[in-house]
Amino acid sequence: MGRVTSAGKTDEQSLSAGVAVRDDSAAPPRAAGRRMLAYMGICLVLIGLNLRTVFSSFAAVLPEVTADAGLPAWAVMVLTTVPVTLLGVFAPLAPALARRFGAERVLLGAMAVLTAGLLLRPVELPAAGHLPALLAGTAACGAAISLCNVLLPGVVKRDFPRRLGLMGGLYTTAICASAALGAGFTFPVFRATGQWTAALWFWALPAGVVLLLFLPPALRASPGGPTPPAGGVSVWRSAVAWQVTAFMVLQAMMSFSVFAWLAPILRERGVDGGTAGLIVSASIVLQMLGSLFAPALATRFRDQRAINTVVALMTGGGFALSIFGPLDVIWLWTGLLGLGQGSLTAAALTLIMVRTRDGHAAAHLSGMMQGVGYGLGSSGTLLVGQLHQSTGSFAAAGVLFLLVGSLAAVFGYRAGRDRFVGD
């Protein structure tokens, strides 16, 4: 018989219901009361609220930055692709850093690097122009966001084992809200100030505020992470982990392509910059709705095949219709895209929590699926840019993402089966 939880269930019964109980061996060495735990939850959500502004803010003023800074075509390609690639490059480092320094302190350091990168990004260097700082600042932001991406699901799994649906929904909604804020407010700030540099600098402010708010729990936490449980499974040898990772790759290809290219797609179709920003923001508001409810729905059932399949097809279809569909109802197409994409991202991240038995396994699955997922998923933004450059339109990208959405539905169906990593 397994240990009896406060809900009157054994560990085995709780795990069979698809919700892992807290593993005492992986518990942090701090005794946090309810208020501190609630404050920690708020901080995690606020961190999520800063993880996508770097992508959507740059896309919102891309034509202005390109013209004013004289960016060559290769630089535009790098600035829209490299941040996503770095999400994959640095993801495998996050679990090791968390074991050495503690997840909270790594998150704090990542927020410091993110704030510094956002401050550096618009700087103009004498005789060198804007390009060096744009490249260095964007790279720093990508590295910092990568660490946060990987560690957040593990911390949620560790500290909120009985609230996975709620906390998973809140922090994934915050991530989508971050993209919406970047898309919706960057162009108005540019229009008010007349400077794209001010519009990009603006996003260092909320990141800096969250950095200060997160100082107390980060400094109070143990400087080292928990000892991994003996006999832990290797995610790299798990078929379940690879199916989840393939699903993540395909959703990342679509997700970051939307962040980087939806506004330019709309502007090329004749939509003015302000309206394009509003459309993208409205689409991402629907992403927020999808990301809020998808984890709660996914964790309610032991099997996620249906939701994974439906939201993958919605995303691929919505992306294609935003390119091919009649412009008169563009709000409808981008709305379908937003609802699908938000649900798809949340469904993929929720699999980290429902396909693992403890926070240690969740952190390693998160590192694997986000390392591979974002590393390969960055090819989406690159492919869209190359297809546009070679064909002169976004039509080929529309066809590409019909295919990507279909493949995501296939792997989402397989990853959604009721199994755990290591089974």
Side-chain angles (χ1 to χ4, degrees), residues 82 86 116 183-184 219 269 292:
V82 164
L86 291 177
L219 296 180
R269 295 197 68 184
L292 180 62

Side-chain angles (χ1 to χ4, degrees), residues 182-367:
F185 286 94
T186 302
F187 197 84
V189 173
F190 163 72
R191 192 156 47 191
T193 62
Q195 298 180 332
W196 62 267
T197 53
L200 294 186
W201 262 320
F202 174 81
W203 298 107
L205 177 61
V209 170
V210 175
L211 173 64
L212 295 176
L213 291 175
F214 194 58
L215 271 171
L219 296 180
R220 187 179 290 110
S222 168
T227 302
V233 299
S234 171
V235 294
W236 297 95
R237 298 178 181 177
S238 168
V240 176
W242 279 109
Q243 289 159 8
V244 172
T245 298
F247 186 50
M248 185 68 175
V249 169
L250 296 163
Q251 82 81 22
M253 287 182 70
M254 293 188 286
S255 177
F256 286 97
S257 294
V258 171
F259 291 145
W261 294 108
L262 182 57
I265 286 169
L266 296 175
R267 296 185 71 172
E268 187 171 283
R269 295 197 68 184
V271 180
D272 68 88
T275 304
L278 289 176
I279 292 174
V280 173
S281 294
S283 177
I284 301 178
V285 167
L286 289 175
Q287 286 185 38
M288 294 164 57
L289 291 177
S291 64
L292 180 62
F293 291 108
L297 183 62
T299 54
R300 184 177 295 272
F301 302 102
R302 297 167 59 179
D303 187 297
Q304 293 80 35
R305 286 180 289 185
I307 185 172
N308 290 351
T309 302
V310 169
V311 298
L313 294 175
M314 284 176 61
T315 306
F319 197 106
L321 286 168
S322 297
I323 296 172
F324 299 124
L327 195 60
D328 292 343
V329 285
I330 191 65
W331 290 84
L332 176 62
W333 311 137
T334 54
L336 176 67
L337 171 60
L339 188 60
Q341 183 185 335
S343 301
L344 178 63
T345 301
L349 293 175
T350 301
L351 289 177
I352 299 172
M353 295 177 280
V354 300
R355 290 289 166 266
T356 54
R357 297 185 185 276
D358 54 54
H360 173 74
H364 280 269
L365 177 60
S366 181

Side-chain angles (χ1 to χ4, degrees), residues 117-151:
L118 290 169
L119 287 171
L120 174 62
R121 196 166 51 150
V123 170
E124 182 177 11
L125 300 177
H130 286 283
L131 184 56
L134 275 171
L135 292 171
T138 301
C141 291
I145 292 168
S146 174
L147 299 178
C148 295
N149 279 344
V150 173
L151 294 179

Side-chain angles (χ1 to χ4, degrees), residues 131-193:
L131 184 56
L134 275 171
L135 292 171
T138 301
C141 291
I145 292 168
S146 174
L147 299 178
C148 295
N149 279 344
V150 173
L151 294 179
L152 280 176
V155 174
V156 169
K157 175 105 177 161
R158 184 197 70 190
D159 288 352
F160 304 92
R162 302 187 186 282
R163 295 290 184 269
L164 294 183
L166 174 63
M167 281 302 300
L170 288 176
Y171 92 80
T172 53
T173 299
I175 290 174
C176 290
S178 172
L181 292 171
F185 286 94
T186 302
F187 197 84
V189 173
F190 163 72
R191 192 156 47 191
T193 62

